[in-house]
Amino acid sequence: MSLARTLSPLIEGDVRDDPYTRHLYASDASMYAIEPLAVAFPRHAGDVQALVAACGELEVPVLPRGAGTSLAGQTVGSALIVDFSRHMNRILEIDGTTARVQPGVVQDQLNRAARRHGLMFGPDTSTSNRATIGGMIGNNSAGSHSVLYGSTVDHVEALRVVLADATTPDLASDARLSASVSEVLRGLDLTGFPRFWRHSGGYRLDLAARDLPDLTKLMVGSEGTLAVVTEATVRLVDRPRAKAIAVGHFASTPSAIAATADALSFDAASVELIDKAILDLSRQRVDYARLGDILSGDPEALLFVEFFGDSPSEVADRVDKLAATWKSNGHGYHTLRAVTAEQQAAVLKVRKAGLGLLMASSVGSRRPLAFVEDTAVPPERLLPYVEEFAEILSRHGLSAGFYGHCSVGCLHIRPFVDLRVPEEIGTMRAVAEEIAELAARHGGVNSSEHGDGLARSEFNRRLFGDPVYEAMRQVKQIFDPRGLLNPGKIVDAPPMTEHLRDPAMPEPRPLRTTLSFGGTFAGGMHSAADRCMNVGVCRKDDTGVMCPSYMATREEEHSTRGRANALVKALSSDDPRQALGDERLHGILDLCLECKACQSECPLGVDMAAMKSEFLHQYQEIHGVPLRSRLFAAIRTLNRLGSATAPLSNWLAAPLRGPLGLSRRRPLPLFRRDNLLRWFGRRPVKAGGREVILLADSFTTYSEPGIGRAAVELLEQAGYRVRLESQGCCGRSSISKGLLEQARAMADAMVGRLAGSDAPIAGLEPSCLLTLKDEYAALLPGDPRVAAVAARARLIPELLTEAIDDGSLRPGDALSGRKILLHGHCHEKAVVGTAATRELLSRIPGAEVEEIDAGCCGMAGSFGFESEHYDLSMKIGGLRLFPAIAASSPDTLLAATGVSCRQQIAHGAGRAARHPVELLHQVVDLP
């Protein structure tokens, strides 16, 4: 009997051991991979106790896991992985200045709840939007403000745990455990224990010994090797009343480090560095580009200095004083002041994304690896330490990116290494040994917040010395005598060069794809999927769009990371084409809404929408194309016929929902007989003026013609001569349904019609217009017409904003005093951003414009109509979008650029949303 079948009846949660689930949990954000025996999803502490008891009887190791973003390999192993993030994620109580939480609670989730009390959790990792409190306890995480708040161990007051024998001792009062640990510590010489306070390596015998012994402190940083945490009581700190940030610009990384002391002299809450490599990467990304727009010159390094205080004037004054001091001492050439929330959001977003942006510079299997990235030395030693560090890398022929916490002497330096090259594995090990000795020589530590895992545990005997290391082994024996809890971490670890992920992966077999995965993904679809390095940004649940299906299900397999890893498994098989026909794989990819958010929000730019389209194409080559998919792919023809036969077609469409698998709960859009093409054909041709080509998309043309009419009239008023492109579909629907040969033919025809002009190409429906800028390059690789057409494609708000600014359009004040809530289309956010739409609405005199961070609406074209997807579609909309609309006043105007978004808002929120062009049309006097 399989392990899952044995364990599942014992718990209320579930246990899985199918090959795909095991593969998805075989890796974390480290360079390691070990396939687990099974994965359990407990619902409560009783489930955890039952799992540990059963595994003890079966002699099966147990490995607790949160978000799986560990950088040193802590959360991979040949064990039963216990995923706390899916169900055990409740905040049980906030009482005074403490919070009682389950281990799967995410740091930002706790902070949102604590904010209502004026509090927050002090340690703040850059992964705060997905890092769990349980994982932070396992690693003894710290974060950017550790100079102020210390590490997680400083904030944990009590823990409920399950030991390897399935008992649940009270760590504060268990006499047997206390006596056993006291015996180990008695007479132990800890003078050689690292004295630098920011330390997360080994077991914290130094802290345990202070209170004879403090077993709770001993658990923190133990990486699940001593006990499984089921509940934590953590201390909260006061949330600062005011914040301000100084961003120093420097001509070199050493000069930025040298300016740290000045920042600390003004009681900075954090001092963070990113180098030019990471800065340049941020400028290439739509989602991170705002920082680059406000910088001065082309700095080689930036130093972000954050100040906390009681008032805006206090923190602003400290920023000014630091800027003056830097100038007086010759540090840097410019200081940017970020004092408003909007300014701070722009700079902090890039600072927090340092790891992901650095990972984005990977080429194939040459990646910036985490094996010496967590050392820390006293800040006054950081400059000479970094100089020697750089010399070691240079001597070994390695380059690296530099970012991290100058305030506490910790820079996350990640050398680029290709682990598929055996010689480079040897180089990696040699560098790791030298850097560990270098950190010790400068009075520092080998691990300061990322833990030991598989990357650093091997060095613990050398770093701590035999007596202390043997004491750690004895402590492990006390709590886990059979070595069943996350074995091979901290003590008795394998060499750091074992279990490496990349060398163990088979060379992918050739696969002919219809979409081109060229450019960065030189290895085709496999390389495109393998670009994911598991940093887990797709597991966030409160900001942005990515990943809507994960936000709604909290299932690893329904995150971008999960899907990418599943595709890597299929594409690494002996017959990748046949593997892409697998039903289990289809189930994993089925809930991808193809929102494209991962294209911009994933720091590595993993484009799951494109890969799902190619997957569907390959899958349907084996299983055939469903009728429903064929019909949706022919949406222009259907809508044209529906419009021609309206209103009869509207009555006839309803009975077809059942046979086609469309939800009866979802209203169908109404066909309009007076479509855009009929209206436009009756109008006199306007002579003269600049030509603009307006895409008569398949949706607004036949169902919402008023939007197109408004656009035509506004463009003509602005001096344009409008030519409708209405001869065929752009192929958007065919792409989403995997009918890629059909989409290619449509793209070729569309490019052929558009290429003979230099006129701008405007579009009302973002998903249609942006197909020209995005997918056409993959459908028609090497076609020079594609780039030319893409360069001319512009969302209509861009053209109309220019017309207002040059005086061609003069909006009136009919909406003065009204608030407009804007919900941008997912494709718009991902490919070009929503700035142009915001700018257009802001030109309406007297209107207050607010863009709501409400994620994906959940509709996603046909997705929300499909019976099997309706509930999820509504759940996604209900996460943030519907509540944001419900919280607005009834007279607030709603604007949405996407037809699907407007449909979802009408159905799920009971409010009408209008296209921004309609709102502008309302305030412009036309002849």
Side-chain angles (χ1 to χ4, degrees), residues 24 100 149 184 191 234 242 279 434 547 552 620 655 676 794 832 858:
L24 266 53
R100 193 162 55 86
Y149 299 123
V184 171
T191 56
V234 297
L279 180 58
E434 289 189 52
C547 174
Q620 289 165 175
L676 177 63
R794 305 178 69 186
V832 296

Side-chain angles (χ1 to χ4, degrees), residues 17-254:
D17 61 3
D18 65 278
Y20 271 102
T21 296
R22 289 163 60 196
H23 178 80
L24 266 53
Y25 283 83
S27 54
D28 52 15
S30 73
M31 58 187 172
Y32 298 100
I34 304 173
E35 191 167 275
L37 304 175
V39 181
F41 305 92
R43 290 187 175 272
H44 48 71
D47 276 358
V48 178
Q49 190 173 9
L51 288 167
V52 173
C55 286
E57 293 178 7
L58 298 170
E59 297 189 348
V60 169
V62 175
L63 198 169
R65 175 166 162 147
T69 55
S70 299
L71 295 171
Q74 295 95 313
T75 58
V76 299
S78 181
L80 171 73
I81 285 182
V82 182
D83 182 349
F84 286 95
S85 66
R86 184 176 168 204
H87 299 305
M88 292 185 66
N89 50 35
R90 291 188 299 124
I91 298 171
L92 303 172
E93 180 183 33
I94 295 180
D95 182 15
T97 58
T98 62
R100 193 162 55 86
V101 301
Q102 293 181 317
V105 166
V106 172
Q107 182 185 336
D108 279 358
Q109 174 192 354
L110 175 58
N111 283 332
R112 288 196 298 273
R115 179 187 291 272
R116 295 192 290 269
H117 304 270
L119 302 169
M120 67 181 191
F121 190 54
D124 59 333
T125 64
S126 63
T127 55
S128 63
N129 58 11
R130 67 266 196 200
T132 64
I133 300 299
M136 295 179 72
I137 291 169
N139 280 354
N140 189 25
S141 300
S144 60
H145 299 115
S146 59
V147 68
L148 200 61
Y149 299 123
S151 302
T152 299
V153 70
D154 302 307
H155 299 265
V156 175
E157 297 202 343
L159 295 173
R160 290 188 177 181
V161 300
V162 178
L163 298 188
D165 61 2
T167 58
T168 57
D170 183 342
L171 294 176
S173 61
D174 191 282
R176 181 187 66 83
L177 290 174
S178 293
S180 298
V181 173
S182 293
E183 182 63 28
V184 171
L185 296 176
R186 186 175 295 115
L188 182 64
D189 183 4
L190 290 174
T191 56
F193 205 91
R195 296 183 181 182
F196 189 51
W197 66 269
R198 203 175 194 271
H199 174 44
S200 69
Y203 296 132
R204 292 305 300 267
L205 302 184
D206 57 331
L207 297 180
R210 292 178 186 174
D211 199 11
L212 293 177
D214 188 335
L215 301 185
T216 298
K217 301 290 188 189
L218 193 60
M219 294 298 114
V220 181
S222 65
E223 302 181 6
T225 63
L226 301 181
V228 180
V229 175
T230 59
E231 185 181 303
T233 300
V234 297
R235 181 170 53 84
L236 304 174
V237 300
D238 289 333
R239 180 176 292 277
R241 293 186 176 91
K243 300 179 183 180
I245 302 173
V247 184
H249 295 49
F250 298 88
S252 69
T253 296

Side-chain angles (χ1 to χ4, degrees), residues 597-673:
C598 46
Q599 192 181 96
S600 62
E601 293 183 28
C602 169
L604 291 104
V606 173
D607 188 354
M608 188 51 59
M611 286 187 279
K612 181 182 178 181
S613 295
E614 183 63 47
F615 161 76
L616 287 174
H617 174 75
Q618 301 281 343
Y619 178 86
Q620 289 165 175
E621 287 281 298
I622 297 171
H623 298 283
V625 181
L627 174 61
R628 186 177 68 184
S629 294
R630 291 189 184 278
L631 290 174
F632 275 122
I635 195 68
R636 188 173 191 88
T637 300
L638 284 178
N639 286 351
R640 178 170 52 80
L641 293 174
S643 173
T645 57
L648 179 63
S649 54
N650 293 319
W651 180 79
L652 292 174
L656 296 176
R657 288 192 288 193
L660 292 176
L662 305 180
S663 175
R664 298 182 187 277
R665 293 175 286 174
R666 172 79 66 182
L668 295 174
L670 296 177
F671 299 116
R672 294 282 298 272
R673 191 171 183 85

Side-chain angles (χ1 to χ4, degrees), residues 558-633:
H558 297 313
S559 67
T560 305
R561 178 175 76 174
R563 295 185 181 108
N565 281 326
L567 282 170
V568 168
K569 175 178 171 59
L571 296 168
S572 300
S573 67
D574 290 339
D575 187 348
R577 181 178 180 277
Q578 196 63 35
L580 291 176
D582 185 84
E583 291 295 340
R584 177 76 174 96
L585 181 60
H586 184 275
I588 292 171
L589 289 168
D590 181 53
L591 299 189
C592 171
L593 280 74
E594 299 177 72
C595 65
K596 294 191 184 183
C598 46
Q599 192 181 96
S600 62
E601 293 183 28
C602 169
L604 291 104
V606 173
D607 188 354
M608 188 51 59
M611 286 187 279
K612 181 182 178 181
S613 295
E614 183 63 47
F615 161 76
L616 287 174
H617 174 75
Q618 301 281 343
Y619 178 86
Q620 289 165 175
E621 287 281 298
I622 297 171
H623 298 283
V625 181
L627 174 61
R628 186 177 68 184
S629 294
R630 291 189 184 278
L631 290 174
F632 275 122

Side-chain angles (χ1 to χ4, degrees), residues 280-365:
D280 285 348
L281 288 165
S282 75
R283 285 171 157 159
Q284 299 168 20
R285 304 294 303 279
V286 168
D287 209 41
Y288 299 95
R290 288 176 64 194
L291 175 61
D293 294 338
I294 58 178
L295 295 181
S296 175
D298 189 20
E300 289 290 321
L302 295 177
L303 212 55
F304 300 78
V305 182
E306 194 169 8
F307 294 103
F308 292 168
D310 291 327
S311 69
S313 61
E314 175 196 343
V315 292
D317 180 62
R318 286 156 71 190
V319 168
D320 290 340
K321 287 179 177 177
L322 174 60
T325 301
W326 273 347
K327 185 175 182 179
S328 174
N329 292 338
H331 290 313
Y333 66 86
H334 177 71
T335 301
L336 171 70
R337 293 160 172 81
V339 294
T340 69
E342 184 178 6
Q343 291 168 338
Q344 292 170 24
V347 300
L348 290 177
K349 187 169 189 176
V350 174
R351 193 268 295 164
K352 281 198 164 195
L355 166 60
L357 289 168
L358 184 61
M359 300 295 284
S361 59
S362 303
V363 178
S365 54

Side-chain angles (χ1 to χ4, degrees), residues 672 674-681 683 692-697 699-717 722-724 762-765 796 800 897 902 914-919 921 926:
R672 294 282 298 272
D674 56 335
N675 62 53
L676 177 63
L677 304 185
R678 290 190 179 195
W679 172 83
F680 191 81
R683 302 178 78 246
V692 62
I693 300 171
L694 180 64
L695 284 187
D697 65 79
F699 308 101
T700 55
T701 298
Y702 299 108
S703 294
E704 298 180 277
I707 299 173
R709 295 175 190 173
V712 170
E713 291 177 348
L714 287 170
L715 287 169
E716 289 183 345
Q717 179 73 6
V722 179
R723 171 185 137 199
L724 278 191
L764 291 159
E765 174 57 32
I796 198 165
L800 296 178
T897 51
R902 294 189 293 274
R914 303 175 69 189
H915 195 289
V917 164
E918 293 179 289
L919 294 176
H921 187 267
L926 298 170

